Amino acid sequence: MSEGIQWLADEWGRSDLNVTFARRISPRDLAIRLGADPVAPLQPLTAYHAEAMLQGGECARVARVGQSGEWSYAVEPLCPSRAWWGKPELSMGDLEVLHLTPKSYDPPKECWYYRDGVTLGRFDFGEQPGELEFLTPSLEAEGALNVRGPNGLYARIDDEARKILAALERHFGLSLPYEDVVHGTLPGVVTAMTPPENLGD
């Protein structure tokens, strides 16, 4: 299995894995911004163990963290991440934060981008990038932008999620270690003990 992030397109067919990338911050500090207790130790966790903690009622959210290239990352199974739905404060202090959520319970998949305390934009997979128009060249290069046909309807894009992930990978230089994330062990920590009142809080 190659690195990059395109493999998420397959993994999202099996599990709800929310992914947050952050540049210019350590994996531990990213976990703290996602809700972890600053003094809580990071414990080695497999994907199976993290999901079992949630399903067993031990906590409401748990993040496994690491670093790949310039980006720290957090993977959170099942429950929506705190990074979802307009959380620009996660990027305070001249940080960049990119969040991907599969939303199998309520499609479509979403991408959010924050920088230095500002929500620069979001888009649903399968739609135009909106405020994130700077992504258009990368999306076009991967064949990931919907184009209206002669009937005025948008044509379906085969393997759409993979192409969008390829565009994000290309633009931001993103990579996730497949073996570590899916089959291996990563440092993990609880990021919420009780479910939030609103998804994404």
Side-chain angles (χ1 to χ4, degrees):
M1 174 67 67
S2 64
E3 301 294 72
I5 63 170
Q6 296 173 53
W7 60 264
L8 284 170
D10 295 322
E11 189 60 25
W12 281 340
R14 295 184 285 268
S15 64
D16 265 347
L17 192 65
N18 303 280
V19 183
T20 304
F21 293 95
R23 186 145 51 185
R24 293 186 289 277
I25 192 174
S26 71
R28 167 177 276 284
D29 286 341
L30 174 57
I32 291 170
R33 292 196 181 211
L34 291 173
D37 185 331
V39 299
L42 297 176
Q43 303 285 355
L45 288 178
T46 63
Y48 175 83
H49 188 188
E51 289 192 14
M53 290 172 65
L54 296 170
Q55 293 168 342
E58 294 181 46
C59 60
R61 285 184 181 139
V62 60
R64 299 162 65 228
V65 298
Q67 185 156 2
S68 183
E70 295 182 351
W71 296 85
S72 292
Y73 63 84
V75 290
E76 299 172 274
L78 302 179
C79 301
S81 171
R82 184 170 180 264
W84 178 53
W85 205 260
K87 294 298 182 295
E89 64 271 18
L90 295 179
S91 64
M92 292 291 289
D94 196 31
L95 305 184
E96 286 180 81
V97 175
L98 184 81
H99 178 69
L100 304 173
T101 182
K103 289 179 60 194
S104 65
Y105 54 89
D106 184 25
K109 302 170 180 64
E110 294 181 20
C111 172
W112 288 80
Y113 182 51
Y114 314 111
R115 190 168 65 199
D116 198 18
V118 176
T119 301
L120 290 190
R122 60 166 295 281
F123 69 92
D124 294 334
F125 279 37
E127 296 186 359
Q128 302 297 307
E131 306 102 319
L132 303 181
E133 62 182 357
F134 60 85
L135 291 174
T136 297
S138 295
L139 290 164
E140 288 178 338
E142 297 295 342
L145 279 184
N146 278 321
V147 178
R148 286 187 187 272
N151 58 2
L153 300 177
Y154 284 110
R156 181 181 180 276
I157 296 177
D158 291 331
D159 213 4
E160 178 181 77
R162 189 182 308 277
K163 290 177 179 178
I164 292 171
L165 290 167
L168 295 173
E169 176 184 311
R170 169 199 291 262
H171 185 89
F172 291 104
L174 301 174
S175 184
L176 276 177
Y178 171 82
E179 287 296 331
D180 290 346
V181 172
V182 176
H183 301 298
T185 300
L186 289 168
V189 65
V190 170
T191 51
M193 287 300 298
T194 58
E197 292 186 8
N198 300 299
L199 293 180
D201 283 353

